[in-house]
Amino acid sequence: MEGDKKGITSEELKQHNKAGDLWISIQGKVYDVSKWANEHPGGDVALMNMAGLDATDAFIAYHPGTAWKYLDKLFTGYYLTDFKLSETSKDYRRLASEFAKLGLFEKKGHITMYALTSIVLMFCAVLYGVLCCQSVWAHFGSAVVLGFLWIQSAYIGHDSGHYQVMNTRGYNKLAQFLAGNSLTGISIAWWKWTHNAHHLACNSLDYDPDLQHIPVFAVNSIFFNSIKSCFYGRYLNFDPVARFFVSYQHWTFYPVMCVARVNLYIQTFLLLFSKRRFPDRALNILGILIFWTWFPLLVSCIPNWPERVMFVLTSFAVTAIQHVQFCLNHFAADVYTGLPEGNDWFEKQTSGTLDISCSSWMDWFYGGLQFQLEHHLFPRMPRSQLRRVSPLVQDLCKKHNLSYRSLSFWEANVWTIRKLRNVALQARDLANPVPKNMLWEAVNTHG
């Protein structure tokens, strides 16, 4: 009956943690999101990662104030009887509320216009260098520019996935389609699928796909136990091949980053042509077809095969700057297993994240993501506001004795290589045998 509202404990809530029986709590109220999971704009993975848990902080981080009204129809009538709010969460929610009142989530500045303009200019420069110049140096320069174009396009795709960079949802989706699928060849649907899981379970070894790079890399010796990826739904087997690669990962890190883009293309195709449900499949496939039309045609206009190979490898190698940056933000930070629970969501974000310190004139180069912690805490906040809120985030971390690590680009590289080397030396310990498996583990992460 409507009037018989009952209480439920946190342990009882945890029993509703699977597809078809998926409950979460927000501010002490319990919601049944089982049917909503397939319609959720952020994908079902985001809800599955919060299944059976308090999701208040994550909900506040990802949703504008207008989203609260949609919760009513999902309310079960139950309340958490043992719900307790930590002091850290109280301050985090208060800070998010203050930012909302100041309109910081809506003030996007002119970043998007500048970025889109630069992308158009770079694309024109690439076309001119390839189509109108015969010099090998012109082709080399065009490849470098194309690499930077892909980097800036990825930032636009990233921003448009977190918040509306354009005036309407339709134009925002168009920005995703053009900057993501059509220009970079990487599906925005694939990115949303993995990126939302990364945000919600930042640096969880078994839930964060951005740390699951077996057999090429391992950031912690826990991977030596062939743990199960709760994101991919399969075991990450640490076999002899993985042991070999991981043993030398501090040497192979930068070379692999130079061709890391190939793996992103593979993952895009694996998702788009899988049986997994996700929104806008046809639009994503169309965008990928556009990329694989213009890019090969452009390469074919280069007069000979040596220059073509040089052009492709150079453009890929330039994007290594961005791949390295993303690794620097998390590889050397703290890790854990399982999911963040309720009130420790904020703490997990701080412990699993590193910022890159730089001058304000370099913000365009990092796409705002040098403020990685600020972005993780407030993913809907436009990048133009992240430098402004950074001192307040630092104060909050200091108040609650939480980590706030901001390193120079060089220092972050040193930390990352040191972490990879330490794990590599542990992997060389032949006293720990590993089972046999096949090399296709490297790319067959979708099962």
Side-chain angles (χ1 to χ4, degrees):
M1 295 177 61
E2 179 67 21
D4 296 335
K5 294 181 179 179
K6 300 179 181 180
I8 185 174
T9 66
S10 296
E11 288 302 316
E12 290 173 324
L13 178 63
K14 289 180 180 179
Q15 305 306 312
H16 303 274
N17 65 346
K18 54 185 176 296
D21 183 22
L22 202 167
W23 291 14
I24 61 173
S25 70
I26 298 176
Q27 289 193 336
K29 299 175 71 174
V30 178
Y31 300 92
D32 184 352
V33 294
S34 305
K35 296 180 179 179
W36 171 244
N38 290 330
E39 303 175 27
H40 185 233
D44 60 342
V45 171
L47 293 177
M48 288 301 300
N49 278 4
M50 294 285 102
L53 302 173
D54 178 77
T56 307
D57 288 345
F59 184 86
I60 290 173
Y62 267 91
H63 299 84
T66 54
W68 290 89
K69 62 184 178 182
Y70 297 104
L71 291 174
D72 292 340
K73 62 181 180 180
L74 305 174
F75 182 46
T76 63
Y78 287 92
Y79 293 81
L80 276 184
T81 57
D82 56 351
F83 176 74
K84 294 181 180 179
L85 183 61
S86 71
E87 292 302 314
T88 305
S89 287
K90 284 182 182 178
D91 285 343
Y92 168 66
R93 297 175 191 183
R94 188 179 301 116
L95 195 60
S97 178
E98 291 176 2
F99 291 162
K101 291 177 182 177
L102 291 172
L104 298 187
F105 295 105
E106 285 72 44
K107 295 177 180 179
K108 304 177 179 64
H110 301 291
I111 299 296
T112 301
M113 182 185 70
Y114 294 150
L116 289 175
T117 301
S118 69
I119 288 171
V120 171
L121 293 177
M122 284 189 287
F123 194 64
C124 291
V126 171
L127 292 178
Y128 179 81
V130 172
L131 302 179
C132 302
C133 301
Q134 298 300 317
S135 167
V136 63
W137 290 108
H139 297 158
F140 175 79
S142 298
V144 172
V145 173
L146 180 58
F148 280 109
L149 182 155
W150 282 337
I151 290 175
Q152 291 301 318
S153 294
Y155 290 143
I156 288 291
H158 173 271
D159 291 351
S160 63
H162 277 296
Y163 58 89
Q164 280 194 198
V165 299
M166 310 298 281
N167 292 330
T168 67
R169 286 183 179 273
Y171 283 125
N172 197 64
K173 183 174 290 188
L174 179 62
Q176 294 176 351
F177 173 75
L178 293 177
N181 299 42
S182 302
L183 275 179
T184 68
I186 300 170
S187 167
I188 194 70
W190 171 82
W191 173 83
K192 284 184 176 180
W193 179 44
T194 59
H195 196 66
N196 286 337
H198 161 66
H199 265 267
L200 293 172
C202 177
N203 269 32
S204 169
L205 295 176
D206 47 347
Y207 279 87
D208 185 352
D210 284 9
L211 292 187
Q212 297 173 358
H213 302 298
I214 294 292
V216 182
F217 300 128
V219 298
N220 192 278
S221 60
I222 292 177
F223 280 116
F224 300 171
N225 299 321
S226 296
I227 65 175
K228 182 177 181 179
S229 166
C230 296
F231 178 79
Y232 293 116
R234 59 187 299 279
Y235 281 93
L236 303 171
N237 293 303
F238 189 72
D239 56 21
V241 172
R243 182 193 288 277
F244 174 78
F245 282 126
V246 171
S247 294
Y248 299 95
Q249 62 182 0
H250 54 302
W251 293 107
T252 62
F253 176 67
Y254 295 112
V256 168
M257 290 298 104
C258 288
V259 292
R261 195 166 196 83
V262 175
N263 183 54
L264 301 187
Y265 294 146
I266 293 173
Q267 298 303 323
T268 286
F269 278 102
L270 288 174
L271 177 63
L272 293 186
F273 297 100
S274 70
K275 296 180 180 179
R276 179 178 178 79
R277 294 180 58 183
F278 59 88
D280 301 319
R281 180 188 296 270
L283 187 63
N284 274 266
I285 292 177
L286 175 61
I288 298 305
L289 290 176
I290 291 175
F291 172 81
W292 287 109
T293 298
W294 74 260
F295 183 55
L297 283 175
L298 181 68
V299 174
S300 69
C301 293
I302 297 175
N304 56 70
W305 276 106
E307 285 191 37
R308 292 171 186 168
V309 173
M310 176 274 295
F311 181 88
V312 172
L313 292 181
T314 300
S315 60
F316 282 13
V318 171
T319 63
I321 298 171
Q322 189 174 63
H323 297 306
V324 168
Q325 177 196 348
F326 293 159
C327 294
L328 300 183
N329 289 140
H330 298 287
F331 271 25
D334 302 334
V335 298
Y336 63 100
T337 56
L339 286 168
E341 296 192 11
N343 288 329
D344 71 350
W345 185 83
F346 180 93
E347 288 87 337
K348 287 295 192 294
Q349 300 292 341
T350 57
S351 65
T353 305
L354 296 176
D355 279 9
I356 306 297
S357 60
C358 69
S359 301
S360 58
W361 68 271
M362 285 291 289
D363 287 356
W364 67 273
F365 181 80
Y366 292 104
L369 296 182
Q370 74 276 22
F371 294 109
Q372 187 71 191
L373 176 57
E374 290 78 0
H375 168 63
H376 266 255
L377 295 176
F378 307 102
R380 292 188 301 106
M381 182 170 289
R383 62 169 116 157
S384 58
Q385 302 296 339
L386 294 177
R387 184 174 289 275
R388 175 179 175 181
V389 305
S390 180
L392 298 176
V393 171
Q394 294 180 46
D395 290 342
L396 185 57
C397 290
K398 184 177 181 180
K399 176 181 178 180
H400 295 284
N401 196 29
L402 298 172
S403 302
Y404 184 92
R405 291 160 292 195
S406 182
L407 309 175
S408 70
F409 187 77
W410 173 260
E411 290 172 327
N413 275 272
V414 171
W415 279 40
T416 298
I417 296 300
R418 183 188 299 131
K419 167 67 79 67
L420 293 175
R421 181 179 182 275
N422 289 339
V423 178
L425 294 179
Q426 295 176 61
R428 296 180 187 181
D429 182 5
L430 298 181
N432 296 316
V434 295
K436 295 182 178 180
N437 207 342
M438 295 185 293
L439 182 60
W440 55 260
E441 294 283 347
V443 296
N444 194 28
T445 52
H446 291 273

